[in-house]
Amino acid sequence: MVYGLKEISLFLFDLQNKPLNNKKRLHLHTSASRISYFQESHTNMEMRISRSLHNCMDIIMYNLGYLPHGDKSITTLASTTLESFDQAYRLLRPLGWMSVLCYPGHPQGAIETQQVLTWIDNHQNHFELVEKSLGPTPSNLSPIFLLLRSRKTHSFVSDQLIC
């Protein structure tokens, strides 16, 4: 019996065009089968990702904050990030993964980081915090990496197992 890698789909969301264009240039040389770019909020994930993939995503990754060397007035916001976390839970397959990189070193990032950590504490029935680590020089301003695992154990649609 021969096992192959399953087809990979990537969905990239960013409010700014520059990082998406940078990613497009990098992906010209990759073998990822399907890459979709959305210059919009991550709160649109559920709407933009095909319903056939809901409850089937292996991992959802967040890189919060602002674009380095970019417009620092354009940042992710706690309210939209937390809304997208709720969507991520519905998009993830059973026991799927979510990674979050927070940057508390700027004012909006500090607010967002605190609210992300509170959200995780309040959603322990949905996610297990597997890892929490600080950047290379730990301080209150260091980036924080969070790795979470969905506590969903199965996905059913009309009593039929999916994914």
Side-chain angles (χ1 to χ4, degrees), residues 98-113:
M98 185 165 86
S99 71
V100 184
L101 192 54
C102 299
Y103 296 91
H106 61 97
Q108 182 57 44
I111 294 167
E112 185 175 41
T113 298

Side-chain angles (χ1 to χ4, degrees), residues 14-85:
D14 204 302
L15 292 175
Q16 298 183 67
N17 194 37
K18 184 178 178 182
L20 291 175
N21 283 336
N22 291 344
K23 298 292 186 245
K24 285 178 185 177
R25 279 195 298 275
L26 289 172
H27 294 151
L28 288 174
H29 308 290
T30 67
S31 60
S33 25
R34 291 184 298 212
I35 304 174
S36 301
Y37 303 88
F38 301 99
Q39 187 180 344
E40 55 192 85
S41 172
H42 46 219
T43 58
N44 294 334
M45 286 191 305
E46 210 167 23
M47 175 182 68
R48 290 295 192 179
I49 295 173
S50 168
R51 292 214 34 91
S52 66
L53 296 175
H54 290 199
N55 290 301
C56 297
M57 307 298 284
D58 291 316
I59 186 166
I60 296 177
M61 302 168 73
Y62 289 86
N63 187 9
L64 304 176
Y66 59 83
L67 178 64
H69 311 294
D71 183 348
K72 291 181 172 58
S73 69
I74 302 174
T75 69
T76 53
L77 302 171
S79 59
T80 59
T81 296
L82 300 183
E83 181 182 337
S84 74
F85 283 4

